[in-house]
Amino acid sequence: MYRYDEFDQGFVTQRTEQFKDQVRRRLSGELSEEEFKPLRLMNGLYLQLHAYMLRVAIPYGTLNSRQMQKLAHIARTYDRGYGHFTTRQNIQFNWPSLADTPRILEELAEVEMHAIQTSGNCIRNVTADHFAGAAADEIADPRPYAEILRQWSSLHPEFSFLPRKFKIAITGAPHDRAAVQVHDIGLQLTRNDAGETGFVVFVGGGLGRTPMIGRKVRDFLPEEDLLAYSEAILRVYNLYGRRDNKYKARIKILVHETGLEELKADIEAEFAKIRYGVLRLPDEEVRRIEAYFAPPPLEVLPETDGAFEARRASDAAFAQFAAHNLNPHRVPGHVSVTISMKPIGGIPGDATDVQMDEIAAIAKVYGHDEIRISHEQNVILPHVKLADVPAIFDRLVAAGMAEGNSGLITDIIACPGMDYCALATARSIPVAQRISERFGGADRQAEIGELKIKISGCINACGHHHVGHIGILGLEKKGEEFYQITLGGSANENSSIGEIIGRGFSSEEVVDAIETLVDTYLGLRTSKEETFLDAYRRVGDDPFKEALYGTG
């Protein structure tokens, strides 16, 4: 992973000192809350429903054991003993005091972490495939490019006050695990016929009030043009993006209102002006950054392991874990392990300080000191020997993190909702917990198969409900919470926005409604191999609408 040099350390230290003075002035009354708000937001500090919330950046979802231990320490010392992993591969602390936040940032800086640009109308934390550098299907590790984008975008003087927040995601494999098509800029690594590395570029994706799938603007962008082309996109957006209406200020609206071809022409014109200037990436600089992300020395091992197979044959819980929480690795005899942060009946994405310490310890012993956070709110050990999986599983069982449900119906993405967020109009967490409990049986989850449920507590869609196979949006209606259901969403290389299928359901009704949808799917699928999404795309809305609402 990337290591700070003197510039990086000085940069973060200086920013921390600036914020310490800003907090001092807020506490003394020299700054009003209105004056303080843009300053705290640029340092990841929100004022939530009950308390401040600090959002800490985990660039492209990569961290090591020492950093995870620091997050555990912050949860234990300055919060209430837990943190919440988010869909931008960040972590949020929900209860820090304002007076403590400068010290938290100082402690983060000690382990090369920060909270810069985790909020505000700027370029947010760049996200990437959580199996980056390990996946068997990967064309190239996307993280060096994500790091280059991070360095370019940090406190960029031209893009620190954009019309609205701006999000970039990058994937290194044909199978998109980073949801690139629902980002302002989505990048997919590819190689042309000459074997050169470059990017497929999508622009104008995003969820929230007006969900849209990104539009392709480049089939192949050469590696050396990454920053110049990104800068061209941002300049066009900064110039033409609406500032009169925050609900229409994202680049997706600009794409929609201007038209793709006209916007592409503007981007290409700006790109032509700056392509061969200071933003052109020298090959030696890319290779220098790439060297930071060299994989650990992994021994080529047999693709099967006797002890692993024996445990799988004798232990049903381990067999379920092995079936769903292991991902193929590029080096034989190794796998990537998903540690589910979705215990049955638990809060999706939450991790206690004890659990974070245990993850750090496991990664140090078995995982080459590498940890990833997925946008699906789980934790990944990217480089693990297949033979070590049983020992890891036993430790996860003891820590309450051994649920073998990755990609299944209980692996729910959920925002904090009205339990924490001042913007939310309904609760997300209790609904996620009740669905998890309803479908928590191992046999039932296995029978249902791959099914992604995503829940948001308001129209801002922090729970990515628009791209859930089943999406749930909580809304307030006459003082009560109601839940609107969408079907058919997806965030992979075949991205789609879910369709609203009818009236919403009360909090008491919504879990039963989900069960009706699941039972309908089980009744109409052609085989166990046909997933919920495949079945929905084959038959459409009608069978599900009829099951929920009848024929009247």
Side-chain angles (χ1 to χ4, degrees):
M1 60 186 295
Y2 183 72
R3 293 283 185 271
Y4 281 14
D5 59 19
E6 288 183 4
F7 174 86
D8 295 305
Q9 196 63 56
F11 174 85
V12 172
T13 299
Q14 182 184 49
R15 185 58 178 244
T16 301
E17 287 299 312
Q18 290 172 348
F19 189 59
K20 182 192 291 187
D21 184 60
Q22 291 162 1
V23 170
R24 179 193 61 77
R25 287 186 286 148
R26 175 68 189 107
L27 291 171
S28 71
E30 294 176 55
L31 290 175
S32 66
E33 172 54 32
E34 185 178 352
E35 293 167 327
F36 182 57
K37 181 178 179 179
L39 303 175
R40 63 170 169 78
L41 287 178
M42 289 296 283
N43 289 279
L45 189 65
Y46 285 75
L47 187 56
Q48 294 282 75
L49 194 61
H50 307 294
Y52 283 101
M53 178 271 281
L54 181 66
R55 181 181 293 150
V56 176
I58 303 176
Y60 33 88
T62 295
L63 71 167
N64 58 28
S65 298
R66 182 167 169 251
Q67 291 170 325
M68 184 65 89
Q69 287 171 322
K70 179 61 75 174
L71 297 178
H73 165 75
I74 289 169
R76 190 163 45 243
T77 307
Y78 302 106
D79 207 276
R80 295 187 178 179
Y82 69 95
H84 176 76
F85 293 113
T86 79
T87 53
R88 284 218 71 67
Q89 300 179 307
N90 296 320
I91 187 169
Q92 294 180 179
F93 295 105
N94 289 305
W95 301 99
S97 72
L98 177 58
D100 283 336
T101 53
R103 181 56 193 151
I104 295 172
L105 295 181
E106 288 174 345
E107 294 213 29
L108 288 169
E110 293 170 3
V111 295
E112 303 182 356
M113 297 186 80
H114 61 78
I116 298 169
Q117 293 184 195
T118 56
S119 182
N121 292 338
C122 57
I123 301 170
R124 300 285 186 90
N125 188 38
V126 178
T127 56
D129 182 357
H130 43 273
F131 296 129
D137 61 343
E138 189 173 74
I139 293 170
D141 189 339
R143 292 174 303 152
Y145 304 102
E147 172 60 25
I148 289 167
L149 289 165
R150 185 192 70 83
Q151 293 189 19
W152 160 77
S153 63
S154 294
L155 301 191
H156 193 302
E158 195 172 342
F159 307 138
S160 289
F161 296 95
L162 294 166
R164 278 291 273 133
K165 57 189 175 182
F166 200 93
K167 299 177 180 180
I168 302 174
I170 179 169
T171 186
H175 177 47
D176 178 15
R177 290 175 289 262
V180 301
Q181 292 182 39
V182 290
H183 281 74
D184 298 287
I185 294 177
L187 300 166
Q188 182 174 356
L189 274 158
T190 187
R191 287 205 174 97
N192 63 13
D193 293 340
E196 299 166 321
T197 300
F199 308 89
V200 180
V201 184
F202 299 89
V203 170
L207 303 179
R209 187 174 296 270
T210 312
M212 294 185 183
I213 300 298
R215 308 289 295 278
K216 189 189 294 186
V217 292
R218 274 275 180 147
D219 287 307
F220 185 83
L221 177 74
E223 175 186 80
E224 63 266 23
D225 293 325
L226 173 62
L227 292 187
Y229 201 78
S230 299
E231 181 116 349
I233 293 170
L234 264 297
R235 284 186 176 182
V236 170
Y237 169 54
N238 207 18
L239 180 62
Y240 296 114
R242 294 182 61 172
R243 295 175 185 268
D244 62 322
N245 184 336
K246 71 176 183 178
Y247 302 119
K248 297 186 177 182
R250 299 290 294 271
I251 194 172
K252 62 188 177 184
I253 303 300
L254 182 62
V255 173
H256 176 71
E257 292 187 344
T258 303
L260 181 64
E261 294 308 315
E262 183 177 343
L263 194 73
K264 276 176 64 176
D266 288 340
I267 292 168
E268 292 292 339
E270 184 63 34
F271 175 54
K273 295 177 188 175
I274 62 178
R275 182 175 189 178
Y276 298 105
V278 296
L279 290 173
R280 193 169 180 82
L281 273 175
D283 182 72
E284 60 271 18
E285 179 62 12
V286 178
R287 306 289 83 84
R288 183 184 74 84
I289 298 291
E290 200 172 60
Y292 285 104
F293 298 92
L298 301 176
E299 180 185 2
V300 175
L301 298 168
E303 293 189 3
T304 59
D305 176 78
F308 174 89
E309 295 300 338
R311 180 70 178 273
R312 181 157 64 173
S314 63
D315 183 339
F318 179 79
Q320 181 175 349
F321 183 86
H324 300 292
N325 289 42
L326 304 184
N327 197 69
H329 198 284
R330 63 196 316 161
V331 178
H334 295 78
V335 291
S336 296
V337 176
T338 296
I339 301 173
S340 174
M341 295 289 104
K342 318 290 180 58
I344 302 304
I347 299 174
D350 274 14
T352 69
D353 59 325
V354 175
Q355 289 175 327
M356 285 188 269
D357 275 334
E358 181 64 2
I359 291 169
I362 293 171
K364 195 173 290 186
V365 174
Y366 299 106
H368 298 274
D369 201 29
E370 284 201 41
I371 302 165
R372 308 284 168 76
I373 308 303
S374 75
H375 83 274
E376 296 173 327
Q377 299 175 294
N378 290 318
V379 177
I380 315 296
L381 303 178
H383 308 293
V384 169
K385 290 181 182 178
L386 184 65
D388 287 334
V389 173
I392 292 171
F393 178 75
D394 289 339
R395 292 185 67 159
L396 293 176
V397 168
M401 297 184 290
E403 197 64 47
N405 62 348
S406 179
L408 299 181
I409 190 170
T410 61
D411 185 12
I412 298 167
I413 290 178
C415 73
M418 207 163 63
D419 287 298
Y420 295 97
C421 182
L423 300 176
T425 51
R427 290 172 294 174
S428 303
I429 291 171
V431 175
Q433 290 174 303
R434 287 162 47 215
I435 293 172
S436 175
E437 289 165 348
R438 178 75 63 92
F439 295 96
D443 291 343
R444 194 171 194 200
Q445 292 190 73
E447 173 67 14
I448 295 166
E450 181 186 354
L451 206 175
K452 297 181 183 292
I453 293 180
K454 305 183 182 185
I455 307 173
S456 299
C458 80
I459 198 68
N460 289 304
C462 294
H464 290 195
H465 68 277
H466 294 295
V467 287
H469 300 167
I470 299 176
I472 303 173
L473 168 62
L475 298 166
E476 185 273 333
K477 184 178 180 182
K478 296 181 180 178
E480 296 184 30
E481 294 169 274
F482 274 79
Y483 294 87
Q484 186 182 80
I485 294 175
T486 56
L487 297 180
S490 176
N492 62 14
E493 64 277 11
N494 298 309
S495 287
S496 55
I497 300 299
E499 296 288 336
I500 300 170
I501 60 166
R503 65 168 178 81
F505 294 87
S506 70
S507 178
E508 291 73 27
E509 298 169 325
V510 66
V511 179
D512 289 337
I514 300 304
E515 187 161 31
T516 298
L517 292 171
V518 171
D519 289 343
T520 303
Y521 152 66
L522 293 175
L524 61 78
R525 68 184 179 184
T526 56
S527 70
K528 196 170 181 180
E529 284 64 48
E530 186 176 42
T531 66
F532 181 95
L533 182 61
D534 289 339
Y536 172 81
R537 287 177 170 173
R538 175 173 60 83
V539 304
D541 283 340
D542 288 344
F544 298 98
K545 284 184 177 179
E546 183 175 341
L548 282 178
Y549 305 112
T551 56

